[in-house]
Amino acid sequence: MSDFPWLTALIVVPLVGALVTAVVPEPRRETALPKQVALGFSLVTAVLGIVIATQFHAGDGMQLTETHTWIEAFGVHYALGVDGLGLLMILLTVGLVPVVFLASWHEADGRNPAAFFAWALALQGFALCVFAATDVFLFYVVFEATLIPAYFLIGGFGREGRGFAALKFLMYQLGGGLVLLAAVIGLYVVSADAGTPSYLLSDLQQLDMSTAWERWLFVGFMIAFIVKAPLFPLHTWLADTTEKATPGTSVLLVCILDKIGTFGMLRFCLGIFPNASQWATPVVITLALISIVYGAFLAIGQDDILRLIGLTSLSHFGFITLGIFALTSQGGSGSILYMVNHGVGTAALFLLAGYLIKRKGTSLISEITGMEKRTPVLAGLFLVAGLATLGLPGLSQFVSEILVMIAAFDYHWWVGAVAVTGIVLAAVYVLWLYQRTMTGPSVPGDEGILDLGRRELVAVVPLLAALVVFGFFPQPMLDAVNPTVDSLLQHVGVSDDPPTVPAAEEGAH
Amino acid sequence: MNIQAYVVLSAILFTIGCVGVLTRRNAIVVFMCVELMLNASNLALVAFAKQHGNLDGQIAAFFVMVVAAAEVVVGLAIIMTIFRTRRSASVDDASLLKY
Amino acid sequence: MIAFWILAPIMVLAALGILFVRKAVHAALLLAVVMISLAVLYASLDAPFLFAVQIIVYTGAILMLFLFVLMLVGVDASDSVVETIRGQRILAIGAGVLLGTGLVVGLGQISLGTAVGLDDANAPGNIQALADILFSRYVFAFETTSALLITAAVGAMVLAHRERLTPKARQPELAAQRVKDYAEKGTHIGPLPPPGVYARHNAVDTPALLPDGTAAPTSVSRVLIARGTIRSAPATADAIDEIEKQIGWAPHSGGSGAATPPATTDEEAPAAGDGA
Amino acid sequence: MDAVFTKPTIEYADIWPLVLVFAVACIGVVIEAFVPRERRFIVQTVLAGAGLVAALVGTVVVARDLTVHADGAARGAIDVEGTIAVDGPAVFFWGLILIVALGGVLLFAERRLEGGVSAFAGQAAALPGTEAERQASKIGLEHTEIYPLLMFAVFGMMLFPTANDLLTLFVALEVLSLPLYLLCGLARRRRLLSQEAALKYFLLGAFSSGFFLYGVALTYGFAGSMQYADINEAVRNDLSNQSLLLIGIGMLTVGLLFKVGAAPFHSWTPDVYQGAPTPVTAFMAAGTKIAAFGAILRLFYVAFGSERWTWQPMLWVVAILTMVVGAVLAVVQTDMKRMLAYSSIAHTGFLLTGVLGVQQASDLSDGEVTSMQAVLFYLTTYGFAMLGAFAVVTLVRDSSGEATTFARWQGLGRRSPLVAGLFAFFLLSMAGIPLTAGFVGKWAVFTVALSAGAWPVVIAAILCSIIAVFFYVRVIVLMFFVEGLPDGEVASVTRPSLLTSATIAVGLAATVVLGVVPGPVLTLAGHAGQFLR
């Protein structure tokens, strides 16, 4: 069993699913058939993900590895493998896609639904490959390849003005991607200078490069990941995209695709350029702090629900990056956990907001009020998801937020202090949003609005359940993640002893 | 025998041809200026042949004449087609393709 | 070297002339001057074969082709001095001067040393030596030029040769057609009226007058109308005073009737042009 | 002294594909004279196609038989008294040009799109808009001379990267150019535009060959020989008269850069690409560039290899300028063919980036990509993508023929998802999105440039790629996300015959395969090795 290429299967199944969904013959295009096919494939993928999780042994480093030479001239391999970080991301991906499918069942009706589901499956396939890739070139290829399905999802489905939003999204992403390309090429040159060129992560980690090279390449990688994640100042595509795209697409983008950015920081920036990572810590942490506060303020000022949720993510990604570049084990584990929890929590928020918008026909907060009365279930779930987002104890986000905060205070007290304001602001935007939309007198004209249907409930309940479960039992995730973080930090050269290390770092001065 | 003088003369002729191509508007005159450039090159080739004492340059000049003959036929055929269509041989009148 | 110092200024002046003359045909003639001078220079550079080829092929064939085309296009064809791209001419001259200075300075400072001379290479005779190289080392390039010549021939055929798609109408068919036209459309069956009789120096450009005093447009050649060189009979009448003065007659007093012509061929000309 | 004429040795075993193409072209001319008109089309197409296939097979055979030289870096032989070098890269170029030419023949022979006639003028000598022209098209006249002309151009293209002395190079340049000048002027629709394109191409082409020739003269003056090997020798040893050499190199470069359409010698490209019949554009865009880059590589690597430090900075500037001009001007285009033309200019810049990445073999580590390999691979991907993209352009038509303005492409994705999808795919490949051939090509040329220390060029290239992505994506937006105008005002897709479909299919397959598994072709390009000196 262990020789079976599980990871390849995991990647291939959704891609095949995308093809099958796309070629459903014309007369049955508009029926539910393509959707059912797509959902079936996404469930199979989820099962595969669970199988992989059962085979995973925490602490054994890279597992289920597959390595084949792909392009010999470039030293490129088709190399896959999972560690704790990769596993969590994979599980997040396989879990969210069926949920999105269910929630978006009628989202694309009348606009070629088969295409929506096919592109989403393709996106999933590429994203899974990104999380499993252990070859930088392979990573780069699928990293860029995800943009095409994402572009068509944004541009093809959603609200007026989506074409421009899609273009903006793509230009930002490709711009970042091309900077990354330069860095990847530079990596090849360095690797070739040192002997035989190779792109395997394991080879690159051994690479001995000059400080100047390392820093330049680090900057190249980091810019791409900052665009992806997004962090201030390269975040401006985010709000436009989430506003114009369908909520389902936004979930795929913000909860899965953007994680590639922070995933990449952990895996590649820290993994290949340890010294440069330490060198850049002050700048990156500053950017993260700005993102946290700025994102929160922007969110408070929004009048569009989807824009608001999109901008909260800016703040959250600031937290994640802060955790990563604090370079402590709490920070690392916390941020990985944060990635998962943010994925689940924000997905729930997006989908619930989508339901709300569908019912009201508008996404403007100022035009929605008093929904509690008409749709109590929707309002209740929205509150839970919102509370998770602001980090209420007992819900999953709390655990990760605490870990990141510890790391931040360890790094320097003022970093922690600034980060705390982010949490306070989060409470403001979440609760104020709830207050404005849900409470208050119900408006005439809302009489016909029904509460959540069965399909809609089935889609979001697992997410909320996960929020609660992970809030109380984060241990399994921590177990999976800790060894990965430890080995990474060891590689970076921060022999981890949380209370003392940060003080010894140069960033503290 | 000062070969350099010949080379400088060829450079002057070449430059004049070049300026002619850029400034004249009549397609036929422009083409004549191109021929002037080719002739200037020929002069340089023949002069250098004498300098180096081998006949490669002269052969090259001969080839240039053959090539020029073929080119003139094609070029004038194209110019004639344009002229018959538009009754004008000015380069500027042919301006449907201006950006 | 004497030939060089005599010919070089002539060549440069002739070449410069190409830049400045307005008429294309003058440019062609100036180019001929340059080419023939070149031929002489070739002779002075120990290239007798090229001397002949330059005169026969370049001056004789290529330049004549230019002249043929100029004849077809119209010898009067001259350049407009209107600039379509503002400053292009200045820019071009500037670039040219820059290029020229660069070339002359660059090539002026090289030191070539004493020329080896072609006495050895030309020992078996210039033509024999050239043939030797041409048919040994450059034989493939030589064969390849045949591709050029074939291309040129095919290209000229494609662009210039028009095949007759319908059989050529002969005298009987033409006659039958005229009668048919007369029957169906009432087209005048006979020959066109001859031009007017107010002959002064070229009667064919003066239209005949119809009984009512108007000009008969069909009486002058279409070509002349198109060129706009026709003379209107009433206009000629206008000039009668002038003429009479010249030949010493008293001025004619009653010219006002002729001064208001019923119609002029100038007005008819466009209509005739359209009809054609 | 009586010189004894020695018969030249011509290695027909090596150059027979070249001779074959030439022979087929000549036979084509003879067919024009003797075969009845109604049968000419079929005879000419079959002859041209078969000739190209045979030459392709011959190229493979020749490639397998190349002698390996002692150091193993180069294979092949210098034939025909030193004027033709049949080595690894040369046969690679041959193969590539022949494949592109096959695609060209297929597109030339497409007769379904115009309702039973080809895309070329029925009678080129008939004036546009006259009775004669209408008559010619009514009885379905067509010029079958285009096939011999195409074959002559192919012959020139094959000879161009193979030429091993300046004289042969010059003749080859003219052989490949003259037929193309003619072909450009033969469009069936929009003939004024087409004739004008021919005139512009011709005048500027002749102008540039003037420069080229003066460069030949000066280089000859410097080295005293036309042979690359002798020039290299002279460049290495002779330190006097540097200015002669430099001016010579500069002039030669101008001529060659004109052929590849590099800035500032690019101004003909958009006009000619737009005005020429689209099948010709497709063939020319791919073929000329491949051949000219072959010649540039050989000239610079073999003849001027030792002068690397003087010409490399020049190419730096040209490469950057070309990329910027191509990318920036493409953004403001509103015509599909012009946009593709500017994109091809930008590609020229990327290719030049690869060219200037040349290094000594000793500077490279084991298995590192060489400049030659990168450029060869890029040319392969570029050729297929261009062929495919222009083939798709021929399909989108309205009542007046091909509809190339952007406005007419609006909403094409909804009406003909397959064709729009294909076009989008070719554009994505040109933009260099991963999993397409264009990406691997770009990767390769950037890598060699960076290895050679040309990081400013690489950074400029990356910035230009970002701009380039914008205009490609804009077309995709136009096709898929813009609501189409009413039916009468937009173009629709005409169903092509098997010929065009096959070309597009091959282009697509190559673009996909080279994007996903570029290994074999990269290895093949690497196997081609270095030029034989």
Side-chain angles (χ1 to χ4, degrees):
Chain A
M1 269 309 254
S2 61
D3 282 345
F4 184 79
W6 286 108
L7 290 173
T8 303
L10 183 74
I11 294 161
V12 167
V13 167
L15 291 179
V16 171
L19 274 184
V20 173
T21 312
V23 299
V24 168
E26 195 63 61
R28 314 201 60 175
R29 268 272 152 96
E30 299 295 326
T31 65
L33 181 70
K35 305 176 187 176
Q36 289 160 352
V37 170
L39 184 62
F41 271 99
S42 72
L43 288 175
V44 173
T45 317
V47 171
L48 274 173
I50 292 165
V51 171
I52 287 169
T54 58
Q55 302 202 353
F56 184 81
H57 305 288
D60 284 2
M62 280 292 169
Q63 296 165 43
L64 299 170
T65 50
E66 299 169 32
T67 308
H68 307 283
T69 303
W70 178 17
I71 311 172
E72 201 177 354
F74 297 170
V76 172
H77 298 79
Y78 174 75
L80 302 176
V82 284
D83 55 3
L85 170 63
L87 181 72
L88 285 188
M89 291 297 111
I90 286 174
L91 289 178
L92 177 68
T93 310
V94 298
L96 280 181
V97 171
V99 168
V100 168
F101 280 176
L102 267 182
S104 314
W105 202 253
H106 294 297
E107 201 68 62
D109 282 4
R111 268 208 215 101
N112 196 356
F116 178 83
F117 285 84
W119 283 123
L121 275 177
L123 182 64
Q124 185 191 17
F126 289 135
L128 287 171
C129 193
V130 168
F131 293 130
T134 56
D135 181 287
V136 177
F137 190 90
L138 176 66
F139 168 80
Y140 177 75
V141 166
V142 278
F143 173 84
E144 292 280 272
T146 52
L147 299 180
I148 302 305
Y151 172 68
F152 279 96
L153 280 175
I154 301 168
F157 313 92
R159 296 192 278 166
E160 207 53 43
R162 58 183 182 272
F164 176 73
L167 190 60
K168 190 169 177 184
F169 165 80
L170 194 68
M171 290 315 299
Y172 263 90
Q173 300 290 329
L174 280 176
L178 283 165
V179 175
L180 181 59
L181 174 66
V184 169
I185 288 173
L187 205 54
Y188 172 87
V189 173
V190 175
S191 157
D193 279 350
T196 321
S198 164
Y199 267 129
L200 276 183
L201 197 56
S202 47
D203 290 344
L204 291 174
Q205 280 174 344
Q206 317 297 331
L207 206 58
D208 200 23
M209 51 186 126
S210 70
T211 314
W213 267 108
E214 187 179 338
R215 288 183 179 174
W216 278 115
L217 296 182
F218 170 83
V219 169
F221 273 77
M222 201 61 199
I223 287 176
F225 294 144
I226 285 179
V227 173
K228 195 83 182 176
L231 279 192
F232 180 86
L234 299 173
H235 63 279
T236 52
W237 60 270
L238 178 72
D240 288 338
T241 308
T242 52
E243 181 190 349
K244 304 297 182 201
T246 68
T249 309
S250 297
V251 171
L252 293 176
L253 288 184
V254 175
C255 302
I256 298 175
L257 215 52
D258 289 356
K259 295 294 182 306
I260 296 173
T262 43
F263 170 84
M265 290 178 200
L266 276 166
R267 169 124 325 149
F268 299 106
C269 289
L270 263 54
I272 306 177
F273 317 109
N275 302 323
S277 300
Q278 283 197 12
W279 162 74
T281 309
V283 177
V284 178
I285 285 191
T286 311
L287 288 181
L289 288 178
I290 295 176
S291 304
I292 292 173
V293 178
Y294 182 65
F297 271 118
L298 280 182
I300 291 172
Q302 295 305 317
D303 193 37
D304 186 294
I305 301 183
L306 294 176
R307 259 185 109 83
L308 188 149
I309 302 175
L311 286 167
T312 65
S313 298
L314 176 59
S315 181
H316 290 286
F317 278 110
F319 275 110
I320 299 174
T321 315
L322 177 62
I324 295 171
F325 278 85
L327 296 178
T328 65
S329 65
Q330 281 97 342
S333 308
S335 55
I336 297 176
L337 236 57
Y338 209 131
M339 285 155 76
V340 177
N341 294 330
H342 166 259
V344 177
T346 308
L349 268 185
F350 265 125
L351 295 181
L352 287 166
Y355 296 159
L356 182 63
I357 292 165
K358 193 145 196 163
R359 281 167 174 69
K360 287 291 294 183
T362 174
S363 62
L364 296 181
I365 297 171
S366 48
E367 293 180 12
I368 305 175
T369 183
M371 294 305 286
E372 250 176 5
K373 312 277 188 326
R374 300 282 168 208
T375 56
V377 180
L378 174 59
L381 295 180
F382 198 79
L383 185 61
V384 176
L387 291 177
T389 301
L390 66 83
L392 191 76
L395 291 171
S396 62
Q397 210 111 325
F398 172 72
V399 183
S400 36
E401 219 154 64
I402 276 295
L403 285 171
V404 171
M405 292 310 294
I406 293 173
F409 275 107
D410 273 348
Y411 184 80
H412 207 283
W413 67 266
W414 60 262
V415 172
V418 175
V420 166
T421 60
I423 297 180
V424 177
L425 291 171
V428 175
Y429 60 68
V430 168
L431 294 177
W432 198 34
L433 168 66
Y434 183 82
Q435 188 206 341
R436 281 184 292 174
T437 55
M438 299 299 180
T439 59
S442 61
V443 211
D446 284 357
E447 288 78 14
I449 292 180
L450 300 175
D451 210 342
L452 292 189
R454 195 146 20 110
R455 174 185 57 80
E456 292 170 318
L457 266 180
V458 171
V460 289
V461 162
L463 296 179
L464 295 166
L467 286 177
V468 177
V469 171
F470 292 151
F472 286 103
F473 304 108
Q475 204 53 44
M477 289 207 281
L478 281 173
D479 286 346
V481 159
N482 280 335
T484 311
V485 173
D486 288 343
S487 72
L488 252 184
L489 290 179
Q490 206 175 354
H491 183 66
V492 177
V494 188
S495 56
D496 190 38
D497 200 353
T500 55
V501 168
E505 277 178 35
E506 54 180 326
H509 302 300
Chain B
M1 195 88 219
N2 191 356
I3 297 298
Q4 198 163 357
Y6 286 91
V7 176
V8 171
L9 174 63
S10 86
I12 293 170
L13 291 181
F14 183 84
T15 312
I16 293 173
C18 190
V19 173
V21 172
L22 293 175
T23 52
R24 297 304 300 254
R25 302 262 61 88
N26 185 317
I28 300 175
V29 180
V30 169
F31 194 22
M32 282 182 206
C33 292
V34 170
E35 291 302 320
L36 185 62
M37 290 165 72
L38 296 188
N39 270 300
S41 310
N42 274 358
L43 178 61
L45 280 170
V46 176
F48 282 127
K50 175 131 185 174
Q51 170 71 27
H52 292 294
N54 64 30
L55 289 173
D56 283 17
Q58 292 196 11
I59 285 284
F62 174 62
F63 270 100
V64 173
M65 291 177 193
V66 177
V67 167
E71 204 171 66
V72 165
V73 172
V74 170
L76 291 181
I78 292 174
I79 292 174
M80 275 309 296
T81 341
I82 291 257
F83 171 74
R84 286 182 26 192
T85 315
R86 297 169 181 271
R87 319 299 300 172
S88 159
S90 169
V91 181
D92 287 336
D93 288 352
S95 58
L96 292 171
L97 283 167
K98 279 276 158 54
Y99 163 60
Chain C
M1 258 351 245
I2 298 169
F4 177 85
W5 290 117
I6 294 172
L7 287 177
I10 296 177
M11 286 165 72
V12 172
L13 284 178
L16 280 174
I18 297 176
L19 295 187
F20 294 115
V21 293
R22 289 285 308 277
K23 295 204 170 173
V25 71
H26 294 164
L29 293 175
L30 287 170
L31 190 60
V33 172
V34 177
M35 286 180 172
I36 291 172
S37 312
L38 265 182
V40 178
L41 289 190
Y42 290 164
S44 78
L45 285 166
D46 293 341
F49 177 64
L50 287 178
F51 163 74
V53 176
Q54 173 80 9
I55 288 182
I56 297 170
V57 175
Y58 239 125
T59 324
I62 296 180
L63 212 56
M64 287 312 118
L65 206 55
F66 271 107
L67 285 174
F68 274 140
V69 172
L70 277 177
M71 297 297 163
L72 288 171
V73 172
V75 185
D76 285 342
S78 61
D79 254 5
S80 75
V81 282
V82 183
E83 286 189 76
T84 44
I85 307 172
R86 188 183 292 272
Q88 188 238 17
R89 199 159 291 190
I90 303 294
L91 215 66
I93 292 172
V97 169
L98 220 65
L99 173 79
T101 329
L103 278 181
V104 171
V105 170
L107 297 178
Q109 63 173 333
I110 57 174
S111 53
L112 287 169
T114 37
V116 176
L118 286 168
D119 296 341
D120 283 352
N122 276 345
N126 178 255
I127 294 175
Q128 285 84 342
L130 280 177
D132 193 348
I133 304 179
L134 187 60
F135 294 117
S136 61
R137 193 186 312 154
Y138 294 116
V139 67
F140 197 82
F142 179 70
E143 298 291 342
T144 305
T145 49
S146 66
L148 281 177
L149 298 176
I150 299 173
T151 306
V154 172
M157 289 291 284
V158 168
L159 289 182
H161 175 68
R162 224 168 85 195
E163 282 175 83
R164 177 162 290 285
L165 303 171
T166 46
K168 187 172 163 60
R170 292 182 305 141
Q171 201 89 14
E173 284 90 349
L174 287 175
Q177 184 64 38
R178 288 182 92 121
V179 176
K180 198 171 158 205
D181 282 350
Y182 176 65
E184 287 171 1
K185 293 181 250 168
T187 317
H188 180 55
I189 196 167
L192 293 172
V197 289
Y198 300 97
R200 285 170 34 112
H201 50 83
N202 185 6
V204 291
D205 63 356
T206 314
L209 294 184
L210 294 171
D212 61 353
T214 55
T218 47
S219 64
V220 280
S221 162
R222 274 188 303 161
V223 176
L224 292 180
I225 294 174
R227 283 195 193 156
T229 55
I230 27 158
R231 307 168 63 86
S232 103
T236 316
D238 261 356
I240 194 102
D241 293 350
E242 177 66 18
I243 297 163
E244 282 173 347
K245 198 175 359 174
Q246 280 175 8
I247 57 175
W249 282 18
H252 188 73
S253 53
S256 60
T260 51
T264 66
T265 41
D266 282 344
E267 286 160 12
E268 296 290 327
D274 287 351
Chain D
M1 184 181 98
D2 274 330
V4 181
F5 179 72
T6 42
K7 191 169 143 296
T9 46
I10 298 177
E11 290 83 349
Y12 287 107
D14 280 351
I15 61 165
W16 69 267
L18 205 54
V19 177
L20 179 71
V21 172
F22 188 25
V24 168
C26 295
I27 296 171
V29 176
V30 176
I31 285 175
E32 279 305 311
F34 292 108
V35 174
R37 187 195 300 285
E38 59 275 12
R39 261 187 269 148
R40 272 185 220 161
F41 170 76
I42 190 77
V43 174
Q44 289 280 25
T45 43
V46 170
L47 178 75
L52 289 172
V53 170
L56 195 58
V57 173
T59 304
V60 175
V61 172
V62 170
R64 295 173 72 94
D65 289 350
L66 292 181
T67 19
V68 180
H69 285 262
D71 55 354
R75 304 169 309 125
I78 293 186
D79 295 334
V80 198
E81 304 287 316
T83 54
I84 290 179
V86 183
D87 51 13
V91 289
F92 194 96
F93 282 119
W94 283 4
L96 209 51
I97 289 165
L98 287 168
I99 291 171
V100 168
L102 263 176
V105 169
L106 293 182
L107 292 180
F108 275 34
E110 171 68 57
R111 294 211 284 186
R112 188 154 157 184
L113 294 172
E114 284 281 3
V117 286
S118 68
F120 294 88
Q123 195 171 29
L127 293 185
T130 57
E131 184 58 30
E133 189 196 28
R134 275 187 288 280
Q135 240 172 25
S137 71
K138 201 167 72 194
I139 47 178
L141 277 193
E142 49 187 351
H143 279 298
T144 40
E145 290 94 341
I146 54 173
Y147 299 99
L149 287 178
L150 171 84
M151 294 305 278
F152 279 126
V154 174
F155 170 62
M157 286 175 185
M158 285 172 74
L159 187 60
F160 204 34
T162 328
N164 200 38
D165 69 295
L166 292 173
L167 188 52
T168 315
L169 189 70
F170 175 66
V171 175
L173 173 71
E174 293 296 324
V175 173
L176 91 84
S177 304
L178 286 192
L180 288 180
Y181 300 150
L182 289 166
L183 286 172
C184 280
L186 296 182
R188 177 176 292 272
R189 312 273 193 144
R190 303 201 177 87
R191 288 189 49 201
L192 294 189
L193 226 62
S194 171
Q195 291 175 353
E196 199 175 308
L199 179 68
K200 279 199 172 149
Y201 193 22
F202 170 76
L203 282 181
L204 288 171
F207 186 47
S208 79
S209 57
F211 275 94
F212 182 85
L213 189 65
Y214 203 62
V216 170
L218 295 184
T219 312
Y220 167 71
F222 174 78
S225 167
M226 296 272 174
Q227 307 270 330
Y228 284 0
D230 297 343
I231 295 171
N232 186 37
E233 202 61 30
V235 169
R236 197 181 307 220
N237 300 329
D238 200 346
L239 293 176
S240 60
N241 296 337
Q242 280 289 313
S243 60
L244 192 58
L245 176 66
L246 287 185
I247 297 174
I249 293 180
M251 295 261 167
L252 282 173
T253 317
V254 170
L256 288 169
L257 288 182
F258 172 86
K259 272 291 149 204
V260 295
F265 317 107
H266 64 280
S267 56
W268 60 277
T269 322
D271 289 349
V272 174
Y273 280 20
Q274 188 191 359
T278 312
V280 176
T281 313
F283 167 67
M284 176 169 77
T288 314
K289 206 152 280 189
I290 294 168
F293 264 102
I296 287 181
L297 285 172
R298 188 181 296 278
L299 184 68
F300 280 126
Y301 288 12
V302 177
F304 302 132
S306 317
E307 269 294 302
R308 223 172 48 237
W309 304 120
T310 57
W311 57 258
Q312 245 169 358
M314 175 181 74
L315 281 192
W316 277 36
V317 176
V318 172
I320 293 176
L321 194 64
T322 308
M323 289 184 290
V324 171
V325 165
V328 170
L329 289 184
V331 172
V332 295
Q333 298 307 316
T334 53
D335 182 282
M336 211 51 86
K337 281 168 92 176
R338 278 185 96 81
M339 191 275 285
L340 285 176
Y342 277 107
S343 117
S344 108
I345 295 174
H347 282 294
T348 302
F350 293 134
L351 278 160
L352 285 172
T353 310
V355 172
L356 53 83
V358 60
Q359 293 195 38
Q360 302 284 7
S362 53
D363 293 343
L364 295 168
S365 58
D366 232 16
E368 194 171 345
V369 182
T370 63
S371 192
M372 175 69 86
Q373 199 177 355
V375 175
L376 287 181
F377 187 83
Y378 198 106
L379 283 170
T380 315
T381 66
Y382 164 84
F384 282 114
M386 272 288 158
L387 208 56
F390 276 113
V392 174
V393 170
T394 62
L395 305 184
V396 181
R397 313 176 74 89
D398 56 18
S399 55
S400 64
E402 284 162 17
T404 53
T405 48
F406 276 9
R408 306 217 149 225
W409 284 60
Q410 276 181 12
L412 194 74
R414 294 186 201 290
R415 281 169 283 132
S416 320
L418 180 67
V419 170
L422 283 171
F423 195 65
F425 186 77
F426 285 124
L427 291 182
L428 289 178
S429 174
M430 290 182 203
I433 303 293
L435 294 180
T436 61
F439 167 69
V440 185
K442 234 173 216 175
W443 192 94
V445 291
F446 291 179
T447 306
V448 291
L450 197 61
S451 298
W455 58 267
V457 184
V458 175
I459 288 175
I462 298 262
L463 292 177
C464 291
S465 302
I466 297 176
I467 303 174
V469 165
F470 174 75
F471 64 76
Y472 293 124
V473 171
R474 202 172 58 135
V475 175
I476 298 179
V477 170
L478 189 78
M479 291 193 299
F480 287 96
F481 302 143
V482 175
E483 298 295 335
L485 295 167
D487 265 358
E489 292 167 38
V490 286
S492 61
V493 168
T494 311
R495 221 180 142 73
S497 71
L498 196 60
L499 300 166
T500 303
S501 318
T503 313
I504 297 175
V506 169
L508 178 74
T511 310
V512 173
V513 170
L514 291 178
V516 179
V517 274
V521 175
L522 267 173
T523 317
L524 193 66
H527 186 62
Q530 296 303 313
F531 286 121
L532 201 58
R533 280 156 200 281

